Amino acid sequence: MTIILLLAISFAASFVGTLAGGGGLIGMPSLLLIGLPIHQIIGSVKFPNMISSFSSFYILFKKKQLKLKDALQLIPFALFGGLRGGLLANSFSEKAMNL
């Protein structure tokens, strides 16, 4: 039953996110109500965001609307920010994250 509920929530969140944006406003609270740990929810939401961002980058690069030199200059900042954000989120307790 939980798997069916998770599939329904992810379908609804993806559908709304695709049409209007903000699918995380449906998905994250719904997953919290089911009882999943907050760190797991954040990871499960951020992973598809990463794939989406990479596909957008690829399309822009393929259409020559983005220069590789400009993108390569931003990679260290993106890696540092992502790693720092992940470590920071991991350092908080689940109780603090739920607040």
Side-chain angles (χ1 to χ4, degrees), residues 74-87:
L74 295 175
I75 288 175
F77 298 105
L79 286 175
F80 176 77
L83 287 172
R84 185 69 188 136
L87 291 172

Side-chain angles (χ1 to χ4, degrees), residues 27-51:
M28 288 186 77
S30 300
L31 294 173
L32 282 170
L33 288 173
I34 289 176
L36 291 175
I38 187 71
H39 293 91
Q40 187 176 15
I41 294 170
I42 291 172
S44 67
V45 169
K46 288 299 174 187
F47 184 74
N49 288 348
M50 180 185 69
I51 301 297

Side-chain angles (χ1 to χ4, degrees), residues 66-82:
L66 183 67
K67 296 177 185 170
L68 185 59
K69 181 182 175 187
D70 295 337
L72 289 175
Q73 290 175 347
L74 295 175
I75 288 175
F77 298 105
L79 286 175
F80 176 77

Side-chain angles (χ1 to χ4, degrees), residues 1-92:
M1 182 64 183
T2 305
I3 292 176
I4 294 171
L5 188 57
L6 285 172
L7 287 172
I9 290 169
S10 42
F11 177 76
S14 298
F15 185 75
V16 170
T18 300
L19 293 179
L25 294 173
I26 295 172
M28 288 186 77
S30 300
L31 294 173
L32 282 170
L33 288 173
I34 289 176
L36 291 175
I38 187 71
H39 293 91
Q40 187 176 15
I41 294 170
I42 291 172
S44 67
V45 169
K46 288 299 174 187
F47 184 74
N49 288 348
M50 180 185 69
I51 301 297
S52 174
S53 295
F54 180 75
S55 66
S56 298
F57 164 78
Y58 179 73
I59 295 296
L60 290 172
F61 181 71
K62 191 174 176 183
K63 291 183 176 182
K64 305 221 187 278
Q65 294 178 350
L66 183 67
K67 296 177 185 170
L68 185 59
K69 181 182 175 187
D70 295 337
L72 289 175
Q73 290 175 347
L74 295 175
I75 288 175
F77 298 105
L79 286 175
F80 176 77
L83 287 172
R84 185 69 188 136
L87 291 172
L88 184 64
N90 201 29
S91 69
F92 291 132

